[in-house]
Amino acid sequence: MTAATHSTLFPQVPDSADAVLEGLDPEQREVATALHGPVCVLAGAGTGKTRAITHRIAYGVRAGILHPSSILAVTFTNRAAGEMRGRLRQLGAGGVQARTFHSAALRQLQYFWPKAIGGAMPRLVDRKIQLVADAAAACRIRLDRGELRDVTAEIEWSKVTQTVPADYAAAAAKAGRESPRDPAEIAQLYAAYEDVKRERSVIDFEDVLLLTVAVLQDRHDIAEQIRAQYQHFVVDEYQDVSPLQQRLLELWLGERDSLCVVGDASQTIYSFTGATPDHLLDFRTRHPGATVVKLVRDYRSTPQVVHLANGLLAQARGRAADHRLELVSQRAAGPEPVYAEYTDEPAEAEGAARRIRELVDSGVPASEIAVLFRTNAQSETYEQALADAAVPYQLRGAERFFDRPEVRKAGIALRGAARFGGNDSLLDDVVDLPSQVRAVLSGEGWTTRPPAGSGAVRERWESLAALVNLAQDFAAARPAATLADLVAELDERASAQHAPTVQGVTLASLHSAKGLEWDVVFLVGVAEGMMPITYARTDEQIEEERRLLYVGVTRAREHLHVSWALSRSPGGRASRRPSRFLDGLRPGSTATAGRTAAGKAGGIERGTPGTRESAPKRAQRVPARCRVCGRTLTDPGEMKLMRCDDCPSDMNEGLYERLREWRADQARSSGQPAFCVFTDRTLMAIAESAPDDERELARIPGVGMRKLTRYGADVLAICAGQSLAESTDHD
């Protein structure tokens, strides 16, 4: 059996541990048998990474090296976790926990809440939108639906990057984020959102991770209980880990290094959510003894598709590009990618639909065909073109165009204007149909210029702009058409697009296509301004757009169609040009000037456990002893104080009260419980030792590097008897 991603798994459970290894290529086999110490798997698209790590877990279990209940496999979607559990069962390794970060953390938080916090755990809310709306109302800030989504996204980003409200503006500027509103307003809304949650005794999904981290940091007994349960960790899609998820993983691990991570820096396309490939790229630095295995044998795509994918990244820049993998196709030769240029977007959609109709008629299942685009707003043109060609389709990761709230609301407004337009002052000075539509939709949020940035506001505008464009095209085809005629046309189009979704061609954005594959892929709208998208301005943003196109190319197994349009609408000025990412790759083009990054070959790199100069040394654990009587300490609370509970305390009561007041202020400003700043035990330990410098403060249990960096200056100033204002002036 050949190693492949698009293949049937073993139909029967392998009868031995060695049988689990059958059919793996040399690098996959190395992953499967590397069961001790840290392992980093750099896996290119289509190289069978899920196969490699599931066989690794199954081999360890079947060989008696790993116990199923001691393994925690973590991935990023419930779908991926379910697939992993299914594969493990088929390999005879049932009982292994495969979960998302949030699912694993929630189980632990629910179990340990009574012991760590006490009382009932707050209710977990599924959606933040209403809470953000209530926070905005409390701040007397008016947000429309699109802005609510964008502000919610900013709050989520802040929390996964461990940014408190007071630090939002500086953190957003440092990260180069384009805030949907003034950063000070976002910070105000973020703080108010935390207040609303606290008042209602609810938590959100990011709180699940934050609270689990807080419990594991402050309760060593609970952390050790979890570490005793889970001793081996596997993390898939490691390039998508956020700083908060990385911190949780470190707390799960403790001082151990039984960790296998899998990822590909060239598929980092979610940095706007807080994901960063740095943890993957720095893995060897943190773990000098790690085994690094590179998977580059591509079992998914033909050599022609792989050649284009490699070529896309050859001109890439930046750190991820320095670690790119040069894929090597393992499939027989297939057709060359097809490049097509069209006069306008409707012609491009009709061309794709016509070719898809031919493929379906020739026997290609519609479910094995995908049309991938950069933004969800592009879907409407392809929905209509496929409906006109009688090709069934299904939308993934997006609502049907006519089911989108802004489109439905716009339809109601247009219908009302068609009936009572004579009494609408907006229509007093307009005569032609396109002008009437623009006037009506201006009341729904459409403007002549698109909004800056990305996200929900931009997508909402693009949906309304599609209706404006549709009105222009309709009027050009039927000069005598009225607004009522257009409304009837919209109703007919909405009805015609209710096609069956089963066995349909997939319409999907490039982001939502991650992790999927099809025999035939149409990459559409690959023109400047869309790929890269207009609002991608920095080098980092441009490179992420390139990686997004790379993900799109590598979704194709055999047939790949790449197209672009020279103008938006029929008769428009042909001012567009193909994406710069295709320079030197499509026929007749010249490569963009710039360095060519060398791809990394596949293979295995052994770690050098004895050479640890480049990595921070971990302190050796020594028995904790009471600083008063010298008895060995075992209770976590006593270990934090470094003395027995019944030994005399030399705590400075005044200092302790000042620290408590400071902690209360910090908790209020950051919108988190006081114990998340420092626990009572940690404050007592600080008040007893009254540290003079950071080194002494860092020795106190419960004061980690993150808290030392964030709070160290304040705590040392308080211990020195200074006011915080004096400390700031002195600095």
Side-chain angles (χ1 to χ4, degrees):
M1 179 178 177
T2 58
T5 57
H6 183 55
S7 63
T8 303
L9 291 171
F10 293 105
Q12 295 180 340
V13 174
D15 57 11
S16 67
D18 288 340
V20 173
L21 302 178
E22 292 178 4
L24 300 181
D25 68 29
E27 292 78 29
Q28 291 173 340
R29 181 180 287 258
E30 180 65 27
V31 174
T33 56
L35 298 172
H36 301 287
V39 178
C40 179
V41 184
L42 302 176
T47 57
K49 66 178 180 66
T50 304
R51 179 179 177 81
I53 59 176
T54 52
H55 281 67
R56 178 184 190 270
I57 295 170
Y59 177 72
V61 170
R62 299 294 297 277
I65 300 171
L66 305 178
H67 193 278
S69 63
S70 71
I71 304 167
L72 180 58
V74 188
T75 187
F76 281 80
T77 66
N78 289 320
R79 179 183 62 82
E83 180 186 352
M84 187 177 292
R85 288 193 295 269
R87 291 198 187 197
L88 289 171
R89 283 193 299 271
Q90 289 179 300
L91 293 170
V96 173
Q97 290 291 313
R99 297 183 173 276
T100 64
F101 271 101
H102 285 89
S103 173
L106 180 59
R107 288 189 80 209
Q108 294 171 11
L109 194 62
Q110 289 171 331
Y111 183 81
F112 288 108
W113 187 275
K115 180 178 180 180
I117 312 298
M121 180 175 159
R123 179 174 61 87
L124 177 63
V125 293
D126 293 331
R127 300 178 70 250
K128 300 181 180 67
I129 290 289
Q130 187 56 53
L131 294 178
V132 175
D134 293 343
C139 297
R140 300 182 183 277
I141 296 175
R142 184 166 185 170
L143 301 176
D144 64 24
R145 185 184 62 83
E147 290 175 316
L148 278 173
R149 284 172 52 192
D150 289 340
V151 170
T152 300
E154 288 303 294
I155 291 174
E156 290 173 350
W157 173 81
S158 300
K159 298 183 82 164
V160 301
T161 55
Q162 298 175 283
T163 301
V164 298
D167 297 339
Y168 169 78
K174 183 178 180 181
R177 293 185 72 82
E178 196 165 312
S179 300
R181 294 182 72 97
D182 182 87
E185 278 191 336
I186 300 290
Q188 182 185 4
L189 289 165
Y190 179 11
Y193 168 78
E194 294 297 322
D195 289 339
V196 170
K197 285 198 293 116
R198 207 163 32 246
E199 291 167 2
R200 300 180 186 179
S201 296
V202 298
I203 59 176
D204 59 31
F205 278 101
E206 287 71 41
D207 289 330
V208 170
L209 300 184
L210 285 164
L211 290 168
T212 305
V213 165
V215 168
L216 296 183
Q217 284 180 160
D218 292 337
R219 289 294 300 267
H220 296 285
D221 55 333
I222 293 176
E224 289 304 323
Q225 191 172 339
I226 291 175
R227 291 166 192 160
Q229 169 70 49
Y230 296 117
Q231 299 167 22
H232 309 280
F233 295 84
V234 177
V235 183
D236 194 11
E237 302 288 2
Y238 194 54
Q239 78 277 353
D240 292 333
V241 166
S242 71
L244 179 57
Q245 289 165 332
Q246 175 64 21
R247 179 57 184 148
L248 178 59
L249 179 61
E250 291 168 354
L251 288 166
W252 280 340
L253 275 168
E255 297 294 321
R256 300 161 304 168
D257 60 3
S258 185
L259 171 66
C260 175
V261 300
V262 189
D264 179 11
S266 295
Q267 296 189 68
T268 304
I269 59 173
Y270 293 107
S271 63
F272 60 92
T273 67
T276 170
D278 289 345
H279 305 301
L280 175 68
L281 300 178
D282 291 338
F283 191 83
R284 191 66 176 273
T285 302
R286 297 196 311 276
H287 303 278
T291 297
V292 179
V293 184
K294 298 184 178 71
L295 303 183
V296 298
R297 302 176 198 244
D298 188 323
Y299 298 97
R300 175 188 298 159
S301 305
T302 63
Q304 287 74 16
V305 173
V306 167
H307 177 72
L308 175 57
N310 287 334
L312 273 174
L313 296 185
Q315 294 294 328
R317 299 172 179 272
R319 194 174 180 215
D322 291 338
H323 293 79
R324 74 180 183 89
L325 299 169
E326 188 84 23
L327 299 177
V328 181
S329 176
Q330 305 298 297
R331 294 192 56 185
E336 290 290 339
V338 175
Y339 299 89
E341 182 173 277
Y342 294 89
T343 56
D344 52 66
E345 289 180 1
E348 183 182 6
E350 290 166 8
R354 185 167 53 250
R355 179 58 185 144
I356 290 171
R357 180 74 265 174
E358 293 171 356
L359 289 168
V360 172
D361 289 343
S362 70
V364 177
S367 60
E368 288 297 346
I369 303 173
V371 178
L372 306 182
F373 34 75
R374 177 60 180 85
T375 69
N376 288 332
Q378 292 170 269
S379 71
E380 191 271 339
T381 304
Y382 291 89
E383 292 175 48
Q384 182 61 50
L386 290 172
D388 290 344
V391 175
Y393 64 87
Q394 55 185 330
L395 286 170
R396 179 178 180 84
E399 298 164 291
R400 288 181 179 274
F401 180 81
F402 286 104
D403 287 343
R404 295 172 190 166
E406 64 269 21
V407 175
R408 294 170 67 91
K409 189 176 178 184
I412 293 171
L414 290 170
R415 186 171 287 104
R419 289 179 180 176
F420 311 110
N423 299 321
D424 192 335
S425 59
L426 283 173
L427 304 181
D428 287 346
D429 300 323
V430 296
V431 290
D432 63 324
L433 177 60
S435 298
Q436 290 177 328
V437 171
R438 286 193 293 269
V440 173
L441 296 188
S442 65
E444 302 300 321
W446 179 82
T447 56
T448 55
R449 296 175 62 86
S454 59
V457 171
R458 177 68 180 234
E459 290 181 1
R460 182 173 181 268
W461 180 89
E462 287 173 338
S463 294
L464 297 177
L467 291 175
V468 171
N469 296 336
L470 182 64
Q472 291 172 342
D473 297 340
F474 186 65
R478 295 177 54 183
T482 65
L483 194 55
D485 293 331
L486 176 65
V487 169
E489 174 69 12
L490 291 176
D491 290 341
E492 289 179 14
R493 285 172 174 258
S495 177
Q497 290 176 22
H498 291 166
T501 58
V502 179
Q503 291 297 311
V505 171
T506 300
L507 295 177
S509 70
L510 288 165
H511 281 101
S512 64
K514 177 77 167 61
L516 303 174
E517 56 188 79
W518 296 268
D519 284 342
V520 186
V521 168
F522 287 77
L523 290 175
V524 299
V526 188
E528 284 292 306
M530 194 60 74
M531 181 58 67
I533 198 76
T534 305
Y535 46 78
R537 299 186 180 92
T538 68
D539 290 344
E540 293 81 3
Q541 291 168 339
I542 295 295
E543 288 307 316
E544 181 141 334
E545 292 288 299
R546 187 194 306 273
R547 294 193 296 270
L548 189 56
L549 183 58
Y550 170 82
V551 166
V553 168
T554 55
R555 300 310 95 194
R557 300 192 193 106
E558 187 167 358
H559 297 275
L560 180 64
H561 298 253
V562 183
S563 64
W564 58 91
L566 298 178
S567 67
R568 182 190 55 76
S569 57
R573 188 164 59 91
S575 58
R576 294 180 176 177
R577 62 175 297 268
S579 169
R580 71 191 75 171
F581 299 146
L582 299 179
D583 290 348
L585 299 175
R586 61 183 175 85
S589 64
T590 304
T592 304
R595 67 164 180 81
T596 299
K600 304 296 183 181
I604 302 151
E605 298 175 9
R606 307 289 182 186
T608 52
T611 307
R612 307 188 69 88
E613 288 80 0
S614 61
K617 298 181 183 297
R618 289 178 172 174
Q620 295 294 317
R621 289 190 173 183
V622 297
R625 298 186 182 280
C626 175
R627 54 190 169 85
V628 179
C629 69
R631 181 176 68 83
T632 299
L633 302 175
T634 56
D635 178 76
E638 292 182 340
M639 292 170 67
K640 184 166 285 190
L641 292 174
M642 293 305 291
R643 64 171 175 81
C644 305
D645 274 335
D646 53 0
C647 281
S649 168
D650 53 358
M651 183 177 70
N652 182 324
E653 295 287 349
L655 174 57
Y656 179 66
E657 288 305 316
R658 289 196 298 276
L659 288 169
R660 282 175 56 86
E661 291 174 3
W662 166 83
R663 182 182 66 173
D665 290 340
Q666 290 293 322
R668 278 193 297 271
S669 65
S670 63
Q672 57 184 339
F675 73 84
C676 289
V677 181
F678 285 119
T679 63
D680 287 345
R681 288 274 186 174
T682 300
L683 288 190
M684 291 175 64
I686 294 172
E688 289 187 359
S689 60
D692 293 325
D693 53 37
E694 285 191 353
R695 184 183 296 272
E696 292 182 8
L697 180 58
R699 291 198 188 106
I700 298 174
V703 182
M705 283 304 300
R706 185 176 64 84
K707 292 189 177 182
L708 183 67
T709 301
R710 177 171 293 176
Y711 304 127
D714 283 3
V715 171
L716 291 173
I718 294 170
C719 290
Q722 301 174 351
S723 70
L724 295 185
E726 289 173 355
S727 175
T728 302
D729 293 342
H730 182 267
D731 291 342

